[in-house]
Amino acid sequence: MELALLVIDMQNRFQAVLNDAQIIPRVVKVMQACHDKCIPIFLTQHHDPEPDSIICKFWKPIHIESDDWQLIPEIENAVVQEKDVIIAEKIRYNAFYQTPLKKNLLARKVDTVAIVGCETNLCCESTARAANDNNFSVLFLKDGNASSTKEFHDATVKSMEYGFGKTPTCQEFIKML
């Protein structure tokens, strides 16, 4: 198994959701464990360059370089600049859509992605489904993803378990490394 960690949209815009779910310390530990084992880490930063995009019908746009667009400080501090890859081009829920993510994963011979981030039922789930569609195995870290409601989070975890991947906890994932 050639593994990569995908850290999805842990940005200032979603700070309240991340705080409520209390995932930040666990995600930082997962990132540190991946660094220790030389597992590549890809972080996404969502923005909305098209004000008429479908996403902007549901949410206030995130502008590139704005405070909302920045990674939260705890994640920014955990990034190793010379190793980690930031995918700042993300403009849809799915992190594979019109980004270099797939190309970067294939260049590193990755066949399995572990997913953490925000929001569970939107960007994280969409990215997990796209990973599956692109023939990557998925590890969806159930206590490493955050959603605005427990119901949304739990529904996504059940869906992931049913047909898209495994759902270890962050601690179980770290023990697997």
Side-chain angles (χ1 to χ4, degrees), residues 3 6 49 88 135 146:
L3 180 65
L6 307 183
N135 209 35

Side-chain angles (χ1 to χ4, degrees), residues 92 128 158 163:
R92 295 288 190 266
K158 284 184 183 195

Side-chain angles (χ1 to χ4, degrees), residues 137-166:
S137 295
V138 174
L139 299 171
F140 196 86
L141 280 55
K142 62 181 154 193
D143 64 344
N145 285 277
S147 188
S148 51
T149 74
K150 182 176 178 351
E151 292 79 17
F152 289 155
H153 178 82
D154 291 347
T156 293
V157 170
K158 284 184 183 195
S159 180
M160 290 295 112
E161 290 169 346
Y162 184 74
F164 293 97
K166 296 181 180 175

Side-chain angles (χ1 to χ4, degrees), residues 30-45:
V30 166
M31 289 178 69
Q32 291 167 340
C34 286
H35 286 140
D36 291 347
K37 299 289 184 178
C38 297
I39 293 167
I41 298 175
F42 297 85
L43 301 97
T44 65
Q45 285 177 272

